[in-house]
Structures are given as C-alpha cells and as structure tokens.
Amino acid sequence: MTFIPKASGTERPQPPAAPGGLPGRQVRTPPARPEAHTATVVLTIVGIVVLAQLLFLVFAYLASAIGVASVIGCGILALVPLAIVLFAVRWIDRWDPEPLAARWFAFLWGAAAAVSIALIIDLGAQLVDAVDGSAPASQFMASVVRAPLVEESAKGLGVLLICLVARRTFDGPVDGVVYAATVAAGFAFVENITYFGSALVHGGGVGLAVTFVLRGLLSPFAHVMFTSCTGIALGLAVRRPGAWRILVFFVCGLAAAATMHSLWNSAAYLARGFWGYYLVVQVPLFAIAVVLVVVLRRRERVLTHDRLAEYARAGWFSPEEVRMLSTSRGRRNALGWARGRPDGAAIMKRFVRDATHLAWVRQRIVSGNRIDEARADETALLTNITAERDALSRLP
C-alpha cells in the first residue's frame, strides 16, 4: 500500500528548516509522561466509582417509588431511546474517539449526579410549593423555568468538569457535543424510567405506550440538543488560551441550553397545539442540529488534513499518508489492508489515532494554547507514530 513507507531503512528528506516551529526528524525519545495525565486518569477512575455507587442509590429511590418490577420493565423500555442516542454519539465520535473512561464518567454523571441534583432541588421546591399553596402557577414555573435551569446546570456541570480535568482530550466543539450528548443520554435514561413508571401507574398500558412513543421515539434527542449547546460553547472556548474563556462560554452555552429546554417544556401547555408546535419548532431545530454536527465533523477532517500537511512538509509524513489519514475512505482502506495481517489492525488503529491527536496538538501550538504541554505531547506522539509506521512497514 502506498500510504506506508517501505522498510528500506532510508529516512525521508529533512527540510533545511521546519516550518512554524515543527520539530525535525531527529526527535526520537518521548519525554516522561506529565503528572497531569496520571492525575486525570486517577480522578476519572475515582469519579466513575463514586458515580456508580450514587447511581445505585438513585435506582433504590426509584424502586421505592414505583416498585422494583416497574423499574426493571421501564428500564428495559428506556434502553431503546438510549441505544438510539448512543449510536448517534458513536457516529459523531468516529473521527477522533474520546477516551472510553471519560465517556463512562460522562454517562454516569448524567444518570447519577445530574439526576440526584435535580431530584433534591425538585423535592425541596415541592415542599415550598405545598406550604405556599400556589399549585397552578408553581407547576408552570417549575416546568418552564425551574426545571430547565436546574437540569441544564446539573448536566452542564459534568461537561465542564470533563473540560477542566481532561483538557488534553477536549479539543473542540465536536468533543463538546460528544461529552454533552453522553451526559444527556445518561440523564434521559433515568428520567425516562421515571416517566414510564408514572405513566404505567396512572394510565396503565395505554398511558405507558403513549409516553414511550412521545419520549422514546419522537424525542429521544431532546436532552441531547439542549446540553449540546453547553458542550459546543466549551469546545469553542478551549480553542483559545485563557481560563476565563471557559467560564464565560460555559455561562453562554448554559443560557442557550436552558432556553431551548424551556421552549420544549412549554409545549405541554399548548394543549391541542402540541403537534403543530412539534412540527413547526422542534423538527426544524433538530434538522439544524444535525446540519451543524455534520459541518463540525467536516471541519475536523479539514483541520486534520491541514495540520498533518504541515508535518508532511517537515518530512514526518508522506503526501499519501496525509490523504489516507484525513479522509474516511482512506482510513477504511488502510484498516482493511491491515486486517489481513497479524496485529495489523491494532497497529493501524493506533497509527490513525495518534496522527489525528497530533493534528489537534498542532492546532493548540498554532493557536498559542498551553504550548509547553502541547510540545511535550507532540514529541511523544511523533515518536509513537514513527514506531507504529516502522511496525506497519514490517508486516507481511
């Protein structure tokens, strides 16, 4: 295959001066792993363990409210919209997959921490409403104002934590969408169990069927759309240096998420106008969201090509390799070639992953964002890529 150099032992020609501060081919030994990387791994693992225990308490609370059998049955039904959302998230995340541990943390945050925050605040508000005795007005405010603010803040906090702790893997808006959608998927999964259980208790099988169609089939991406506003905002913030940007963009994204959530919840008060509202407002919003994600993914591919082309001019990649690494078809062909050789698929996946990550590290350097950290990552990635290319060139 032309995208892998032959094992001739010859180095690619080195230019007299690497453009834009790119390292020459003499870089070979990766630096020691930064301590921040180890700290990120430890914090992620601890977070997953704590959130898993909290999720157990959430399910125990639900079982006490609607019964164990209802939780199990409704949980199985809630897997349908969850699978739809996670399949879409997987498609969005295909170009530069996020770490599995970080995605598990995001899901558990939505299902455990965000749900717990929303439940505690909701229970407290119900007690206040019961004392005041203003039920009709309180129900409207709770649904259209309080719930969007509380729920989007709870979900958005998880995305913000990932952005702050896992800065090395939070590269832009697409990553923000992936993490936000995963948090939202966890939250919606548990929330759907509560709605399905309540419909079963009060409306029987018919009520459950109607609720399943409305929430599970017609609007599985509702929470994803809301929280993705926060994720996109944080993804834009990390593209430029300055910690203050993250906080400012987080607040702006949170405001957009709460507004969209409020618009969605207000449909419940439109009575006969619900379907018209759904078709005129929500369907176009979903279409816009899909187009936006497609555009963001395309920009990821363009950025990968442009940044790797800079390394190609410095002698690190061949033009064929850049074309292979920056197109979906090229990656599929490369992986298909590697699958026919022992350990080839695993090595090729690492080669593609490290090269894609290298493009984002280069983007950080170009934008002046955490340059010292990016330089260390660049050196390690270039060394890994050289070793992986050598291993690929030796495959039979």
Side-chain angles (χ1 to χ4, degrees):
M1 300 291 286
T2 57
F3 51 79
I4 298 299
K6 299 300 181 183
S8 59
T10 354
E11 292 288 344
R12 286 193 177 82
Q14 298 183 39
L22 285 167
R25 290 297 301 270
Q26 70 274 12
V27 178
R28 290 296 180 186
T29 308
R33 279 290 185 184
E35 294 181 3
H37 180 73
T38 304
T40 299
V41 173
V42 171
L43 287 174
T44 304
I45 294 174
V46 171
I48 289 174
V49 172
V50 173
L51 290 174
Q53 294 174 341
L54 182 58
L55 182 61
F56 175 80
L57 296 178
V58 169
F59 278 119
Y61 170 78
L62 294 179
S64 67
I66 62 176
V68 176
S70 294
V71 169
I72 295 174
C74 294
I76 294 174
L77 281 179
L79 289 175
V80 175
L82 175 64
I84 295 173
V85 171
L86 292 182
F87 179 81
V89 172
R90 180 62 178 168
W91 174 78
I92 296 171
D93 196 34
R94 280 178 61 188
W95 188 257
D96 182 23
E98 302 308 305
L100 181 61
R103 284 183 279 143
W104 266 111
F105 177 88
F107 178 82
L108 290 172
W109 178 273
V115 168
S116 299
I117 293 171
L119 282 174
I120 292 171
I121 294 179
D122 186 59
L123 288 173
Q126 286 181 20
L127 292 175
V128 174
D129 292 343
V131 173
D132 292 344
S134 53
S138 295
Q139 289 176 2
F140 177 82
M141 291 296 294
S143 177
V144 179
V145 179
R146 186 174 68 224
L149 286 173
V150 171
E151 293 178 9
E152 294 310 319
S153 297
K155 290 182 292 179
L157 182 60
V159 186
L160 178 63
L161 285 174
I162 295 172
C163 175
L164 295 175
V165 175
R167 290 290 297 278
R168 275 186 164 85
T169 61
F170 203 111
D171 298 312
V174 173
D175 292 353
V177 171
V178 169
Y179 286 124
T182 307
V183 170
F187 185 91
F189 172 66
V190 176
E191 187 182 58
N192 281 336
I193 294 175
T194 63
Y195 273 91
F196 295 164
S198 177
L200 181 63
V201 170
H202 296 97
V206 176
L208 175 59
V210 171
T211 304
F212 174 75
V213 171
L214 290 175
R215 293 188 61 87
L217 300 181
L218 292 180
S219 57
F221 293 100
H223 277 288
V224 171
M225 290 172 56
F226 310 150
T227 314
S228 290
C229 294
T230 306
I232 291 174
L234 288 172
L236 293 172
V238 299
R239 289 283 184 88
R240 292 290 182 270
W244 62 271
R245 289 178 181 271
I246 294 178
L247 182 59
V248 172
F249 277 62
F250 172 71
V251 173
C252 294
L254 190 59
T259 300
M260 288 189 65
H261 197 155
S262 180
L263 285 173
W264 173 261
N265 285 2
S266 65
Y269 296 89
L270 297 178
R272 296 179 182 179
F274 171 78
W275 290 108
Y277 176 87
Y278 179 81
L279 294 174
V280 173
V281 178
Q282 294 303 324
V283 172
L285 284 177
F286 177 72
I288 292 172
V290 172
V291 171
L292 178 61
V293 168
V294 171
V295 170
L296 290 174
R297 289 185 79 239
R298 177 175 174 78
R299 291 189 64 182
E300 273 200 330
R301 292 195 295 270
V302 171
L303 186 145
T304 301
H305 175 275
D306 292 347
R307 293 297 171 246
L308 292 184
E310 295 177 10
Y311 286 101
R313 290 192 292 271
W316 283 101
F317 293 97
S318 68
E320 292 80 7
E321 285 175 328
V322 173
R323 285 194 290 271
M324 179 271 286
L325 292 165
S326 58
T327 62
S328 299
R329 181 179 180 181
R331 291 183 175 194
R332 285 195 302 269
N333 291 340
L335 191 57
W337 171 84
R339 282 199 180 102
R341 291 148 176 84
D343 299 324
I347 301 172
M348 180 62 76
K349 286 179 180 179
R350 290 197 301 270
F351 180 72
V352 172
R353 180 198 63 202
D354 287 342
T356 307
H357 192 191
L358 177 66
W360 289 106
V361 168
R362 176 64 182 164
Q363 177 64 23
R364 295 212 315 263
I365 295 172
V366 169
S367 60
N369 190 6
R370 311 192 312 276
I371 292 182
D372 291 340
E373 173 188 292
R375 285 293 186 191
D377 290 344
E378 179 188 52
T379 303
L381 286 168
L382 287 171
T383 303
N384 292 341
I385 288 168
T386 300
E388 289 152 4
R389 181 191 288 110
D390 292 343
L392 288 169
S393 67
R394 289 194 298 270
L395 290 177

